[in-house]
Every structure is written in C-alpha cells, then in structure tokens.
Amino acid sequence: MTRNIRISPLTQAAFAPYGDVLNCDGDPDKMINAGLCGRFHDRARVDVTDGQVGISLFRSELRALPYQLDLIERHPAGSQAFIPMSMDPFLVIVADAGLQPQAFVTAPAEGINFHRGTWHGVLTPLSGPGLFAVIDRIGEGANLEEHVFDTPYSVNF
Amino acid sequence: MTRNIRISPLTQAAFAPYGDVLNCDGDPDKMINAGLCGRFHDRARVDVTDGQVGISLFRSELRALPYQLDLIERHPAGSQAFIPMSMDPFLVIVADAGLQPQAFVTAPAEGINFHRGTWHGVLTPLSGPGLFAVIDRIGEGANLEEHVFDTPYSVNF
C-alpha cells in the first residue's frame, strides 16, 4: 500500500526546521555597485565539521509526478545548498527526526540549503535543464547516511 | 578618448589566470542517485583568509552594451563565485596585475569563480532577471580595493 504526500509551496517558516530558503524576498541587506545591485547577505547556515566548503555542479535527470519516494539521506558532516541554474521550480523533500517526510516546491529563482544532518530526498528537478550549483563539504571520509522506506510514499500536488 | 575592448567567449583556458569557469563540460566526476545525477566535483578554488565561506544572493540591474568600464575591484581576503540563477549569459570582466582588462561572455548555465585577489568588474548581467548566488567570504574587516580608470573602456562584441 502506498502512502500519499502532498506538495506544499516552499516558505521560510515551514522550511526553517530543515534549512534555509535562498531567495530575494524582502529588502536587500546592502546596495552595492553604485546602487545598481542588491546584496542579500549570508542567507545560508553553511556548516561543515571538517574539510572545506566547495562548489560542485549537479546535472540531474528530470523526475515525474507522482514521485515515488523510497529513499532519504543525510550528511552528518555538512550542510548542502542547491542553487538552480535555471528559473525552473524543483521538488524538495525533507524528513524530521521521526523520518516523517514533507514535500515542497520552490518558486522560480529560489535555492535551498539543507542544514547539516537534515534528512532529505535526492535532487528532484521537475522541469528545465536539471542543473544546480551545490555548495557542500569537500573532504575525506563517509558523509552519507541513507534510509529506505519499506512502504514508499507517492508525492504529488 | 575611449579605448575599446572586445568581448570573447568564456573558456577555461583563457580564464585560468583569473579564476574558474563553472559548467558541466566533460564527464561528471561521479554518478549519484542511482545513476540519475552527475556530480561535477569541487570545480572552484574557494579560498578565504579568515571569516567563513557563505552564500548570498545578488540582484542586479541589467547593463547595456557598449558597457562603459571605469572601475574594477578586488577582494584580497577571499575568492568570489557568481552562479547565475537563470540561463542567461552575463558579461565577465577581469584585469591582470598590470590592470589591463579583458572581457568575456558566459554560455548559458555557466558560473564563474574569481580567485582571491583577482581584479574584476562589477556584476554585469546583460539579460534575464539579474539574479545570482554569490559564494564568498563572510567576515569582518575591509575586503575591497577599487581602481578607477581615468580613461574608461568601451566594452562590446
């Protein structure tokens, strides 16, 4: 038997237990470049226990809805931010300490940062080129825990 | 009298003295997510002398060509990466130790990382929403040097 999860719009408040929403809501913290550019400063809790913070690119196949969620993962040694390189919303799945998943969809031009140790689904772009910049820990040693759901969830709007 | 600079396509080779081109050229370093996602691993020389590496967002007005270049800047305490959050190419200006500028245009879905201390122009999107994620040093103290050209450069294709 499949369990259903409904996708909600991503909001700072709903996502706060899991990470940071990276967007330009509100006023910039500072205007730079002679007033032509707004800086929304230091919007993610970037946090690695060792190694270094680095920038990688992910290119993912697109996923279709309903999405069958059977796996979540977490990285005990570091936060992980996903910055979409196109204006396409993407699906974001997180789970709490009790492994109860929640699903969100981003707005265009919105990234997210999973706090260190947060359970989350794998990268699930729904449209566009599936290209993301990823800011996470670069270092040696295992930094991946996985949990497989015996009964998968069906994720949809 | 105005001096002219021609814009060249951005290539790893031409940009190497100044920084890193962040794109998915070539094969991924690793396939993840059951083979559905390629990781292009650790593509930027992220380098801060103190403080922390953080993620900010920049929202810039668009610039028109020919672009009048009268100012370059550099950050002695840290590298600075610009990840476009749309598929729009943008203008990248750098200068060598002799303050001779060079201008490049990115391909869609391409970011750049200025190495620590590299002279560069301000953010100059040419089309699209002008939204970028910026990965740079978060910390106290001055981290900006500017150079004003007495005679501006006119930058164009």
Side-chain angles (χ1 to χ4, degrees), chain A residues 61 63 71 73 122 146, chain B residues 31-37:
Chain A
E61 299 290 322
R63 305 301 182 104
L71 173 79
E73 61 181 39
V122 302
E146 293 180 324
Chain B
M31 292 304 297
I32 59 174
N33 301 351
L36 294 177
C37 183

Side-chain angles (χ1 to χ4, degrees), chain B residues 36-101:
Chain B
L36 294 177
C37 183
R39 181 175 177 124
F40 300 77
H41 183 70
D42 195 16
R43 293 296 172 108
R45 197 195 301 170
V46 178
D47 170 21
V48 298
T49 57
D50 63 350
Q52 288 196 297
V53 177
I55 305 171
S56 301
L57 300 185
F58 281 22
R59 187 176 58 202
S60 174
E61 299 289 324
L62 303 182
R63 303 302 182 105
L65 296 180
Y67 173 68
Q68 295 301 306
L69 173 69
D70 55 9
L71 173 81
I72 53 175
E73 62 182 38
R74 64 176 175 177
H75 310 294
S79 57
Q80 189 173 45
F82 289 85
I83 310 291
M85 296 178 75
S86 69
M87 296 287 280
D88 303 283
F90 61 105
L91 178 64
V92 177
I93 294 171
V94 287
D96 63 17
L99 302 175
Q100 174 61 44

